[in-house]
Structure formats: C-alpha cells, structure tokens
Amino acid sequence: MIHGQPPRLWLLTPTVDSLSAVAALQDAKPVGLKVTNDRQLRAIVAPVETADPEAMTPRVLQGAPALRLVTTESDLAFDYLDVGYRLASAKLRDVMGLSAEDAQLLQVDASKCPPAVRDKDYRWLHLTHVADPFDREQSDGGYADVYVGAPEAWHPDAPTVRRWRLAMPGPGRSIRVCWRADFVAPAPLFQAAGVPWTLATDALAKRIRAAGISDVLLQDVTQEVEPAPYVIIHQ
Amino acid sequence: MVVSRKFALIGVLPGRADDALAVLDAMTGSRTATMQLLQGNHQPGIGLFGPTDMAARPIQLAQAAGAAAPASRPIPRPGMDPAARRALGQAGGGLALGAAAIGAEQAMREARERSDGETTEQAFETFRLDRNKLADVFAARAYSWAKFYGPWAYFWYFDYNLGWTGPVNETFAQAVMRHEREYPGTLGSAVTQSNQQAWDVITGLLERSSAAVGVDQQIIAERNRYSSVDDALSAKPSRYNAAAKVPPLGIWRIHHLIPFAVVAGLPVPAQQAFVAAGWNLDRAENLIPLPANNATYTGPPNFSVLPIHAGGHGQYNIQVGLWIGPIAARAVLQSPAQTLTDLTAFENQLRAYLLVRLGQIHPRLL
C-alpha cells in the first residue's frame, strides 16, 4: 500500500493467536465456544452493518440483548477477541477509555463460562462511528452497484445504490490507498466506510501499547513503508 | 534477505529446540554438566553444536562407522551408561563426551517421544534414513522441524510463502533434512543459539526451495468435484487455479462465489439453463481468492478485509442457496443472455457481501 500524508491511523484487529484460539474452539467437537443467541443478535446487527455505506450517521444498536457467551475453555484469557462480535475485557476497556459517545459497550452474559473467563468481564464492543478517511480520487477503488438492505430480503431485482468501495485486496496485488490529509477521526475507534476496517487513532494506539495489551494487533496502514509492504508493530 | 533474529525466533517453542542438548542432559544429569563436557571436548570429526562459545567451533558428527577413520570413532569409557555403550557399539555415528555418550538409539527414543515423532518416523521410511546413524536421526528431526515449526519461524515473511502444506513446505523440509545430514547441528545452532550464520543457511535453503518449486504462491490442495449434469458445472482445481491467477503472498484458497454444492443442489433443468447461458462454475468471475489462514487474513495485502476461507462454509451455502432460488426458477423461462446477466450480477453481489460477511462481521466464512 502506498499512502499519502494523513493523520496516523492504526488498523486494529485481534492477534493471530487470538483468532486461532477462537477458531479452534468454534471448530472443536463438541463445540468449545459459542454465542448462543447469535441468531437473535444477527437479526439486530445485520440491518445496521449492511446499511448504506455513505450514511455516516452513528450506527447504534437498539434493543440488543446481552450477548450470551458459552465456552468450556478456562484459558481463554485474551483481552480482545473476535467471536463474530468483538469482545473487550475490562482491562482493555480501561486502557481505551472509550465513552458512551465513542462506541457501544454492550452486555455480555458469561455466566456459563469458567471463572477465569468471567473475571475478564467482557463487553461486546460495537462501533457506532463510520467515517471515510480515503482520498477516493487517488485510491484504488471504484463505484459499484450495491444492495443496502437486509440480506434476507435480497432478490435479483432488488434496487441497488451506487457506492464507492476500496478495491478488493488481491493476493499479490498491492492496493494504492491514499488518505485525506484533512481527515479528522470522529472517535478514537471507528469503522472505515468502503472497507471493513476498524481504525484507531494514534493516541488510542499509543495507550494500548503503553499498557502492554498483547492481544490487540495494531498495524500502521497510513505510512508508506519500503521495501517490505507493511510494518507490524508489536506492543 | 537476512532473517531478522527477532522475527526468526517467533514461534519456536522452548525445549523443543534443545534436542541434542536435552538428550545429553538426561545422561549427564544437568545442563551444567553437559556444558562442562562439551567445552574443551574437541575430537576431530566428532562433536556437536553447543551453546555460547561452542558456536565458533562447529564440528561434524561422526558419520557412518565404516567410513569414519578409527580415530574418529568414540571410545567407550568406564562408568558409562550401559545403554549408551550399546548404542555406540552399533553401526553408524555416535558421540563421546567425557564419561557421557550419546548414540543414535538414545536420540531416536527422544525423537519418538515428541509430538512430531510420527513425522520423524515417517521420514526414516520415506527417505531411507538410518536410525542407527546419529546424523540421520538429526536429519529426520530436521525434516520434522521444517514441516511443523519452519512455518512459525518464517511466520511474518510472506515473501517465502512457507505454508503448513504444499510444495514449498515439502521441498524446504527435504532441503533442511539433506543439509542437516551433511552438516549435523546446523539447525540446532540456529534454533538453540540464535546463530545468525546458521539461520542464513536455513533461510537460503528456503529461498532455493521456493525457487525450485517454480511457484511463489501456496494453493491449498483441492479435489475435483464432478457435476452429474455438465462438466461446465464441475469444480476442478487445475482449471480454477489457472483462471483465478493465484497469488504470490500468503496462503490463499480459491472460493467459488456460487458454490459447487449450491449449483449441484438445483433442479437439473436450471443447471442446464446455466450451462446453456455459457456460464461455468470455474470461470474467473465466479472465483475469488480468500485468505486460508489467520496470518494471511490479518497481514498484507488482505489486512483483514476478506474473510478467512479455512474449510467448509455451510452457512454461506445455505444463504446462497436461498438467494439463487429465484435466479434458477426464471433461468428455465428466459433467454440465455438474461440468465447470464442474472448470474453475473449475482456473482458481483456475493463478492460485495464478502466484505460485510452477510451482515455478520466474522473473521471466517462460515
């Protein structure tokens, strides 16, 4: 990726270890980790997540019940994990210091989890802010006709809207991403429009690293790097 | 490219790296005792890579007993462990260090106890290595290391595409094995001592292996799936891998946007209408490479955009099956051109949905 001169932003994801651990539990027989009310939550999340990407208004989940997490793994001690829903521990939340205006931190019912998991006091982190930090004219991307309704309501003749989207990553294909120099993040943590990225401001990234949180992977996606195509910063 | 020591050691598990030294420790009673024996014990043609100052004195292990000069053959000492003495009496190389000694038999027992012991065992059979020769034992274990732990050691180096399976992985493992057989202790020096020179050797083997395979990408091995209706609706890796122009970075798996299983479940007339429209399952428009593991998903160029395709995707198939119903229904009633338009639009829609993962932001395609 080649970048412009933007404010520094960090792609925030779970670590590979965290992803691997969760996947192993989800694939285990019997299943070792499950969100038991996943279907109910998806019905609430889906319309919000598939909303018009041009609508930069905050995406607030209304009426979401507590996420019911069940796991048999007492060593599931990650501060940040993605079970299909982002879970952040109390420690991570303290470090991030997100306000109610910054993001939704929804209840997680971990009563059927081992004590070590309950002690993590997870909350479901839902990003409410969507923002477009990209210089569309300079970045690899384009306009496509997209359907913006509920997935279950799609049919071949469903109306579409024309929306901009960053180019799909292609293995071996470097995507040019240019950032708006005048971009101001709406919150310390937000969703990028046009690509499913969770982006953190530099200040938030520094706080996470300074606290020694090892379960969050922060990748600097706004600085040009040579010759390796990326820089991965470990805490 | 020089492998940074910091990155090269990521994923190497402590304890497993101390193969040879751990075996000696069991005989001497402690690492301290082992080091005392190693230091200063330098016999021509016999020795082992050891830690610290021994790195500067790499010495060959004894090779086949028949080929070794008598002076290089270890001499049993009084008070030696009887099992070790018997081991040294067997054909092949051995190692004498003061009052302790290690033979191939001991090292083999150690190898079998490890979790990758099965692969080590298979290496003996596959490559006709001699369990009685210590150098061959080291070579077999090096093969096993390269298969299982090599990908971790080169975890962040996507340029090498050393996956957990595939031609590069196998070629590299064999190259490391052959080198270890020729220069026993190279791997141990790299892994236990962080010896950069040894790591450079290992990395050089990886680079040559990648080049030798002739591809700089990893493709997850797939099987053919045959349509009973028309070959155009079959899924053939040889066909779709070429169509999709698979990738140079990371490990990817080709995903059919409209899956084979979904099409195969449609009424035959609908399938025939798809074929009549000129559509085929393996066409480039119906394909997209998806990250096949967590590392490829997380790092560049994907940067967690497209979901992981690590196995089956039953939920995705169900959803696509629901959506394709109206397309299939009207395919038998309309012109082939209209059907092709429908299918092309559907492929594009599915491509877009991979970004939002059908409304569920999950790292994996389920």
Side-chain angles (χ1 to χ4, degrees), chain A residues 50-97:
Chain A
T50 55
D52 188 346
E54 294 291 319
M56 303 294 173
T57 52
R59 300 180 178 184
V60 178
L61 295 179
Q62 303 284 0
L67 183 154
R68 289 205 293 269
L69 180 70
V70 175
T71 182
T72 54
E73 180 55 61
S74 57
D75 286 337
L76 193 73
F78 298 102
D79 285 309
Y80 185 61
L81 57 157
D82 189 338
V83 299
Y85 307 88
R86 304 174 192 88
L87 300 185
S89 70
K91 179 181 175 186
L92 176 59
R93 295 198 307 276
D94 285 344
V95 168
M96 290 201 292

Side-chain angles (χ1 to χ4, degrees), chain B residues 40 52 66 87 105 113 163 165 195 217 225 237 344 346 355:
Chain B
T52 59
E105 183 183 359
E113 286 166 7
T165 59
N195 183 293
Q217 59 250 14
R225 286 164 289 175
T344 303
F346 190 38
L355 293 180

Side-chain angles (χ1 to χ4, degrees), chain A residues 52-54 136 142-148 160-164:
Chain A
D52 188 346
E54 294 291 319
R136 294 183 179 184
Y143 287 87
D145 295 319
V146 295
Y147 168 73
V148 293
T160 58
V161 294
R162 200 147 183 83
R163 292 290 178 257
W164 187 86

Side-chain angles (χ1 to χ4, degrees), chain A:
Chain A
M1 288 187 175
I2 305 171
H3 310 283
Q5 297 293 324
R8 204 163 188 180
L9 294 170
W10 298 80
L11 175 61
L12 187 150
T13 63
T15 59
V16 172
D17 282 348
S18 172
L19 289 172
S20 300
V22 169
L25 289 169
Q26 290 176 327
D27 293 342
K29 292 181 171 49
V31 169
L33 184 146
K34 195 170 177 173
V35 175
T36 59
N37 58 341
D38 175 57
R39 194 180 296 270
Q40 180 187 19
L41 296 177
R42 264 198 287 151
I44 297 171
V45 171
V48 172
E49 297 292 349
T50 55
D52 188 346
E54 294 291 319
M56 303 294 173
T57 52
R59 300 180 178 184
V60 178
L61 295 179
Q62 303 284 0
L67 183 154
R68 289 205 293 269
L69 180 70
V70 175
T71 182
T72 54
E73 180 55 61
S74 57
D75 286 337
L76 193 73
F78 298 102
D79 285 309
Y80 185 61
L81 57 157
D82 189 338
V83 299
Y85 307 88
R86 304 174 192 88
L87 300 185
S89 70
K91 179 181 175 186
L92 176 59
R93 295 198 307 276
D94 285 344
V95 168
M96 290 201 292
L98 299 174
S99 70
E101 286 72 36
D102 292 333
Q104 280 183 286
L105 292 166
L106 302 157
Q107 290 295 318
V108 172
D109 175 1
S111 58
K112 294 199 168 119
C113 297
V117 177
R118 294 202 298 272
D119 289 345
K120 282 292 184 183
D121 189 23
Y122 288 117
R123 289 287 184 276
W124 166 19
L125 171 62
H126 174 73
L127 301 181
T128 52
H129 290 279
V130 181
D132 181 8
F134 306 113
D135 180 337
R136 294 183 179 184
E137 299 208 350
Q138 301 295 326
S139 300
D140 284 341
Y143 287 87
D145 295 319
V146 295
Y147 168 73
V148 293
E152 62 274 11
W154 182 84
H155 58 86
D157 301 317
T160 58
V161 294
R162 200 147 183 83
R163 292 290 178 257
W164 187 86
R165 197 173 62 204
L166 196 65
M168 290 262 188
R173 188 176 62 201
S174 178
I175 301 172
R176 180 183 180 84
V177 180
C178 287
W179 305 78
R180 288 169 35 209
D182 63 344
F183 177 74
V184 176
L189 203 62
F190 63 95
Q191 195 78 27
V195 67
W197 277 350
T198 299
L199 294 174
T201 59
D202 200 33
L204 177 61
K206 281 178 178 158
R207 285 205 298 277
I208 294 173
R209 287 205 301 277
I213 300 284
S214 59
D215 300 327
V216 172
L217 182 63
L218 291 160
Q219 298 184 70
D220 182 355
V221 288
T222 56
Q223 305 302 312
E224 187 158 5
V225 289
E226 290 289 346
Y230 64 92
V231 173
I232 292 184
I233 308 296
H234 289 279
Q235 295 74 28

Side-chain angles (χ1 to χ4, degrees), chain B residues 36-57:
Chain B
Q36 287 173 348
L37 290 171
L38 285 173
Q39 287 164 1
N41 275 307
H42 177 66
Q43 299 184 29
I46 298 176
L48 186 72
F49 275 109
T52 59
D53 62 326
M54 288 297 288
R57 293 190 284 155

Side-chain angles (χ1 to χ4, degrees), chain B residues 38-349:
Chain B
L38 285 173
Q39 287 164 1
N41 275 307
H42 177 66
Q43 299 184 29
I46 298 176
L48 186 72
F49 275 109
T52 59
D53 62 326
M54 288 297 288
R57 293 190 284 155
I59 39 186
Q60 296 262 2
L61 285 174
Q63 299 299 314
S72 67
R73 191 182 181 101
I75 301 169
R77 306 287 172 86
M80 184 186 298
D81 176 68
R85 196 201 305 262
R86 284 195 297 276
L88 287 175
Q90 294 176 9
L95 187 64
L97 301 152
I102 176 176
E105 183 183 359
Q106 187 89 13
M108 270 309 306
R109 277 205 296 276
E110 183 75 11
R112 289 195 185 103
E113 286 166 7
R114 298 200 180 270
S115 63
D116 55 346
E118 188 177 344
T119 301
T120 305
E121 283 287 343
Q122 286 170 354
F124 283 101
E125 302 304 326
T126 305
F127 304 109
R128 298 190 185 158
L129 298 172
D130 188 342
R131 290 178 177 76
N132 294 315
K133 297 180 183 177
L134 191 55
D136 280 18
V137 174
F138 277 17
R141 296 182 68 180
Y143 173 81
S144 192
W145 175 90
K147 292 289 288 182
F148 289 105
Y149 304 120
W152 283 109
Y154 291 95
F155 186 64
W156 295 118
Y157 289 81
F158 298 101
D159 290 348
Y160 297 122
N161 299 301
L162 178 57
W164 273 261
T165 59
V168 176
N169 178 283
E170 180 60 26
T171 303
F172 172 60
Q174 291 187 28
V176 172
M177 175 189 68
R178 285 193 296 271
H179 189 275
E180 185 69 19
R181 200 179 187 200
E182 199 72 48
Y183 302 99
T186 303
L187 183 62
S189 178
V191 172
T192 64
Q193 301 176 262
S194 304
N195 183 293
Q196 191 59 49
Q197 191 176 7
W199 268 121
D200 287 349
V201 170
I202 304 294
T203 304
L205 293 172
L206 176 52
E207 287 173 341
R208 287 198 287 280
S209 298
S210 297
V213 172
V215 295
D216 52 2
Q217 59 250 14
Q218 289 274 332
I219 302 168
I220 301 296
E222 296 278 3
R223 58 184 173 83
N224 287 328
R225 286 164 289 175
Y226 297 99
S227 167
S228 59
V229 174
D230 193 290
D231 185 60
L233 303 180
S234 296
K236 294 180 177 176
S238 58
R239 191 164 62 187
Y240 62 71
N241 284 335
K245 295 185 178 57
V246 186
L249 289 178
I251 301 177
W252 298 74
R253 185 191 295 267
I254 304 301
H255 170 63
H256 289 85
L257 292 162
I258 305 175
F260 171 86
V262 170
V263 175
L266 293 173
V268 170
Q271 295 186 49
Q272 291 170 331
F274 286 5
V275 175
W279 188 83
N280 74 83
L281 195 85
D282 286 342
R283 73 179 199 155
E285 294 88 338
N286 192 41
L287 305 174
I288 183 170
L290 296 180
N293 63 16
N294 292 326
T296 308
Y297 165 75
T298 306
N302 190 59
F303 282 115
S304 68
V305 172
L306 292 170
I308 302 164
H309 186 333
H313 37 73
Q315 291 183 31
Y316 175 88
N317 285 6
I318 290 171
Q319 187 64 73
V320 175
L322 291 172
W323 284 334
I324 205 173
I327 295 176
R330 68 192 199 187
V332 296
L333 301 172
Q334 63 189 10
S335 71
Q338 287 173 311
T339 297
L340 189 61
T341 300
D342 276 351
L343 288 169
T344 303
F346 190 38
E347 288 162 344
N348 290 334
Q349 188 58 44

